[in-house]
Amino acid sequence: MAEEDGCSSMTEPQLEAGETAADGMMSIADSISCDSGQNKTDKVDLESNVELEEDVRDFNWRQEDVVRQELFQNEDDDDDDDGDSGTAYFNPDMAGTRLQRAERIGDASLPDTFQTNELLYYERFKAYQDYMLGDCKTSEVKAFTADYLEKVLEPCDWQAQWCTDVFDVLVEVVDVNYKALKAQVKLVVPLQCETRGCELTEEAMNTLLEATLHKVPLQELRVVFDESGDFDQTALALEHLRFFYKHIWRQWDDEDEDDDFDYFVRCVEPRLRLFYDILEDRVPAGLVAEYYSLLARCSQKFQEFSSLRNGISSDSESELDNVSMVEGLRMYEQMEALKRKLRIIENPLLRYVLGYKVNSGQQSCRAKGPRASGGRMVHVVSVSTTVSQLQSLMADKLGPKFSGEEFEVQFHSEPLLAVSACYEGDVVIVLPGHYNVTSSISIPDSISVEGFGLPDEVVIEKKNKGDSFVESTGADVKISNVKFIQHDAIEGILCVRQGKLEMENCVLQCETTGVIVRTSAHLTMNMCDLYGSKGAGVEIYPGSVCSMVGNGIHHCKEGILIKDFADEMDTMPKITMVNNVIHNNEGYGVILVKPSDAAAAQGEAAQEDTPSDEQLDKEEGKEEMKGEGTLQVDVPVIVVDDCSVKEPVSYSSCYVVPPEFTEGNDAIKKELVATSAKKQRRQKSRLKELGVTQADDNLLSQEMFVSIQDNQFRRNGMGSFGTFLY
């Protein structure tokens, strides 16, 4: 009898508000199994079956309610107490709103709205991934969005501001068309509105609504603030919708050929991450400007392409339509090239290794040139100094080197002020001290910056954020005996954009990125110590010249990063690396970033079909079979010229270095030469396609000065040398 009571008590599932659907099903399954066991010996109790059916119906009703509540609830109940405002997934049982009020500035006749535009990255990420888009394909985005809005939005009887560029007006929503992403509204009487540059009456507004059939886009609605919390989910859903179509969705996404892939992973996540990286000043200003410029150009090109495509008749064979089709193909290729550049910037990894193929476009200070009087200035930097320091300065520096009549002396309290006052040929002497600067140091003229003492005694530290710390664009700049400490520089502790920079006996303490050598720039770096970069210690771009002798590069993510691009017109950099010690880096000591064969072919095929390397090999073999002898291919030459290095330091004369520490030298030389040779063969093929049978030697000159020897690679996480294919 006890068993009987126990079984009958289990036939009624006790579903709490927080009980999951699985728990409820288990409870009913247990009750059914218990009933079946009892009925083995007794007759079927019809009354119990009726009770069971009622329990099942009750469970189904409760299950729908639980699922609806769980949709807007945090997965972890502990998260509800963290005090975050603006999240869409909170406990609906809590009384009152958890969103902030957005107080209106201006016309007080309009009510306040919800503050929803300051959501955090993870809040938007969670909304799009878990609730709005999930794992949908590109073609399913609109359907998934409509389904999400149907579950979340209040269907009617809520007030909102209809916000446009011309006016903001208070309306009431009477119905929602989820698939069209529009709401049917009526004007709230008396009229409450705020206009910009025009005047609107109640009659004029009603006329406008009649013209639109009283339907307005959901993205233009902002929910009126309500303390009850009943419209929090509606306000957040509209914010997610508005943000998605403003910052994530692109006009051309609908026509994406990769429709089989997860749209969130492929497009939403990288674009959302880029938006917040820009918002939090993690992307250089020049790259941000380049991205938005590419986005505008791609949008314009897409509109032109769509207009041209819609004007072509599918069954027409007229000459005009044929011309339009050719023009359309050309526009399509241009648009694909722009989209590829956008994807590079949107991808965090490719943005780091490829995002600055060209100069960022940042406006550097313009060079002043020599003084009109022809004189030169020695700028002495010191906050305060002693008589003995001045005597040493006169005896050791000013007297022997700058005693001529053309030199004058100026005193400054900050290095930035001294550099800003320089003309071509001036000298800046920084006395021992710790100098804090708040903005970037730009060096547009050929000047010399010298620390009067050891590097640890002459320290220049940058405190706040900026694209770069030191930026050199002068024709011949020299920096020596200075320690630079970097904080929050996005682009690097030192960037050589153009011209030549010679560094000697300097210490570079990085926090984000290290030294960057742009295309056509020239860096000579001798006896320096660089460490702490979260990226590469030194980034070398195509077409640059980089000479590094006797340096230490350590405790960075990568030691030295050499960049190559798919464009065959980008020449490999000319590199000298002698007696450097590259150690204790997280990744490789030296890494070469280059396109895979498929990426290179894609980049070149954006304009014309370009033969692959295998095809080039076959063509070269055919030419050899024609009896012309060995094919003359201008393979890049490795030039090891120690004479170009001023008094190279020979560590090998002091002690014997184990071979495993130096084996990376040959691997680096071999890879650089092979990459340059492949690029030159593509150049030759392209010229041949253009009908250039005999090219100018200077046009195809790809001699690469590579002097890589006696470098030591110690305790680098992934080895001495590696390649990254994109």
Side-chain angles (χ1 to χ4, degrees), residues 177-191:
N177 186 335
Y178 302 104
K179 291 185 178 180
L181 302 181
K182 289 189 175 183
Q184 186 174 346
V185 301
K186 66 178 181 180
L187 194 63
V188 174
V189 180
L191 177 68

Side-chain angles (χ1 to χ4, degrees), residues 433-487:
H434 194 115
Y435 303 91
N436 294 322
V437 297
T438 57
S439 58
S440 299
I441 300 175
S442 183
I443 308 177
D445 288 283
S446 299
I447 65 172
S448 176
V449 180
E450 306 175 17
F452 186 64
L454 298 175
D456 287 336
E457 298 173 343
V458 183
V459 180
I460 302 176
E461 181 175 2
K462 185 173 185 295
K463 289 292 186 182
N464 30 350
K465 291 183 179 180
D467 283 356
S468 61
F469 185 177
V470 181
E471 180 180 302
S472 176
T473 56
D476 189 8
V477 179
K478 297 179 181 178
I479 302 176
S480 60
N481 303 326
V482 180
K483 179 177 182 178
F484 295 98
I485 301 178
Q486 168 207 41
H487 297 288

Side-chain angles (χ1 to χ4, degrees), residues 256-268:
D256 202 329
E257 296 177 355
D258 298 330
D259 192 44
D260 294 334
F261 296 95
D262 188 334
Y263 179 74
F264 177 85
V265 174
R266 191 165 46 85
C267 296
V268 178

Side-chain angles (χ1 to χ4, degrees), residues 75-131:
E75 294 179 3
D76 189 353
D77 292 336
D78 295 337
D79 293 343
D80 291 338
D81 299 328
D82 61 3
D84 288 341
S85 63
T87 178
Y89 321 107
F90 42 79
N91 191 343
D93 294 334
M94 294 183 62
T97 180
R98 293 187 59 187
L99 299 181
Q100 300 294 322
R101 178 194 297 266
E103 296 183 1
R104 187 167 187 85
I105 300 174
D107 193 346
S109 63
L110 283 172
D112 295 335
T113 57
F114 286 100
Q115 176 77 314
T116 57
N117 58 356
E118 296 181 357
L119 300 183
L120 302 178
Y121 167 78
Y122 81 90
E123 292 175 313
R124 297 192 191 275
F125 182 96
K126 184 178 179 65
Y128 294 133
Q129 183 184 48
D130 295 348
Y131 299 97

Side-chain angles (χ1 to χ4, degrees), residues 496-564:
V496 190
R497 293 194 179 277
Q498 60 188 41
K500 180 180 180 181
L501 172 65
E502 182 177 339
M503 295 189 68
E504 186 170 348
N505 197 31
C506 290
V507 176
L508 303 169
Q509 179 180 322
C510 310
E511 187 179 86
T512 48
T513 52
V515 175
I516 300 174
V517 190
R518 296 278 178 220
T519 300
S520 76
H522 189 155
L523 171 67
T524 300
M525 185 173 167
N526 298 334
M527 306 302 294
C528 294
D529 188 33
L530 188 154
Y531 59 91
S533 172
K534 293 179 182 177
V538 180
E539 293 184 18
I540 305 173
Y541 277 68
S544 62
V545 179
C546 187
S547 173
M548 293 179 288
V549 179
N551 302 287
I553 301 174
H554 55 97
H555 294 92
C556 302
K557 184 175 178 61
E558 310 285 353
I560 298 173
L561 187 147
I562 304 170
K563 298 189 177 184
D564 179 30

Side-chain angles (χ1 to χ4, degrees), residues 674-691:
T675 302
S676 187
K678 182 184 295 186
K679 193 176 287 282
Q680 186 181 28
R681 289 158 61 194
R682 290 186 177 276
Q683 273 187 331
K684 196 169 184 178
S685 173
R686 176 59 59 87
L687 291 173
K688 186 176 180 181
E689 291 175 1
L690 295 174

